[in-house]
Amino acid sequence: MPFQRVKDAEIYYEVHGDGPPFLFLSVTGLDHQAWKFHQVPEFSRDHKVIVFDYRGTGKSNKTVERYSIKMFTDDAAAILDQLGVEQAIVCGHSMGGVVAQLLAIDYPHKVKKLILASSGSSHPGANGIPLAMCRDMVRLGFEGYIREHTIETGWTKEFVASHPALIEKFLQVRMSGIAPLENYLYFVLARQEHDHTNRLKEIRIPTLVLVGDDEKHGATDKTHWHAAHELAREIPNAKLVELSGEGHHYLATNPALAHKAIREFIIP
């Protein structure tokens, strides 16, 4: 099993396929497993797909420590170096998109094209653990909170009602890959405290911003829809694609729609 030593951590990663390098970055506190639903099989047909477990998740070190977006960014850069990858297409979902943006800002030579799926650059006025999250974790427990929040933000009510087996399969993978509670809370702190909005104009590479049109709810500060639209305005020449009828987890449950937009974007 391949690991990369980064300062005080062992970071687990996998490589699938061959071709132009394509790095995928996961949502808050989640390992790489969700990408294996659809993105690894789809893009490893003609790309070298790289996925890894953030420190605190999966097979990487689970030391309880204070995390930062910069830390995850440096870990991603170290893995690219380990693999001898000079430049990669980078796709980040939600918090993974924040890491992807900072990778493009701090290591611009390493990123060829940038794909930001339902992401943003900050959580204004929401430093610390959001009150609603604290309340719901107390009310539902950690696992109950993750399940309920994933369903609430992930899909339309109609999709949830008509696809219970598909959603349950996704939730099982998500719950198996989520960081332990204390680690997860440090992920949330890292996400909430980070803000590089004033550096977005430093991103000078082709950028695709994806977001579902049903992502205007479920947030305590800025919704994914509003955050994605802000990215599209602030990143020079970014292309925005709004996915009709989709919530936050279209990459897992309606991948063909997202893959079509990604394929069109990454064509040389």
Side-chain angles (χ1 to χ4, degrees):
M1 293 188 295
F3 289 86
Q4 169 64 25
R5 183 76 183 177
V6 183
K7 295 180 181 178
D8 58 343
E10 294 281 342
I11 308 298
Y12 177 80
Y13 67 90
E14 292 183 4
V15 178
H16 300 266
D18 196 19
F22 200 155
L23 173 67
F24 288 86
L25 299 163
S26 301
V27 303
T28 304
L30 193 67
D31 68 8
H32 74 281
Q33 294 291 339
W35 296 116
K36 288 185 171 178
F37 265 113
H38 303 291
Q39 286 69 52
V40 169
E42 168 64 22
F43 293 102
S44 65
R45 293 188 293 116
D46 49 9
H47 289 77
K48 176 186 288 187
V49 171
I50 304 161
V51 292
F52 73 96
D53 294 343
Y54 295 124
R55 56 179 72 209
T57 72
K59 297 175 182 176
S60 294
N61 282 134
K62 291 192 176 67
T63 304
V64 176
E65 58 182 318
R66 192 67 178 257
Y67 302 129
S68 69
I69 298 299
K70 175 63 173 170
M71 180 185 291
F72 303 138
T73 301
D74 292 343
D75 290 347
I79 289 168
L80 294 180
D81 286 343
Q82 166 76 8
L83 294 171
V85 172
E86 294 184 1
Q87 200 173 49
I89 301 167
V90 180
C91 175
H93 183 202
S94 201
M95 189 203 83
V98 185
V99 178
Q101 292 164 55
L102 194 59
L103 188 65
I105 292 169
D106 284 355
Y107 299 90
H109 59 288
K110 290 186 180 296
V111 184
K112 182 178 182 180
K113 291 188 175 183
L114 189 61
I115 301 158
L116 306 174
S118 301
S119 189
S121 60
S122 68
H123 289 266
N127 289 349
I129 309 293
L131 178 61
M133 179 183 291
C134 296
R135 178 198 65 209
D136 291 344
M137 280 193 182
V138 170
R139 178 172 62 89
L140 300 167
F142 180 44
E143 181 173 341
Y145 164 78
I146 295 295
R147 291 178 64 91
E148 183 173 286
H149 182 70
T150 301
I151 292 171
E152 179 188 2
T153 62
W155 305 279
T156 64
K157 290 182 173 62
E158 294 76 15
F159 189 92
V160 171
S162 59
H163 297 83
L166 180 60
I167 289 173
E168 183 58 34
K169 180 181 178 182
F170 174 78
L171 288 171
Q172 288 175 2
V173 172
R174 182 168 175 80
M175 294 311 304
S176 70
I178 205 79
L181 173 58
E182 195 168 354
N183 300 78
Y184 184 83
L185 293 176
Y186 276 118
F187 270 92
V188 174
L189 284 171
R191 181 189 72 193
Q192 299 297 120
E193 293 172 352
H194 184 81
D195 184 355
H196 58 239
T197 305
N198 63 355
R199 300 185 66 194
L200 288 175
K201 294 196 183 303
E202 296 178 36
I203 299 176
R204 297 290 181 176
I205 55 172
T207 301
L208 172 66
V209 179
L210 299 175
V211 70
D213 68 357
D214 191 51
E215 295 197 69
K216 301 175 185 176
H217 57 87
T220 57
D221 45 15
K222 186 189 301 182
T223 68
H224 292 116
W225 187 90
H226 289 93
H229 279 256
E230 180 181 75
L231 291 180
R233 287 194 307 271
E234 296 297 323
I235 297 174
N237 301 312
K239 177 184 178 182
L240 175 67
V241 174
E242 193 166 319
L243 305 174
S244 178
E246 294 300 323
H248 196 53
H249 289 296
Y250 46 83
L251 286 164
T253 48
N254 192 6
L257 193 61
H259 290 177
K260 181 177 183 294
I262 293 171
R263 284 283 184 190
E264 291 174 354
F265 175 69
I266 64 175
I267 292 173

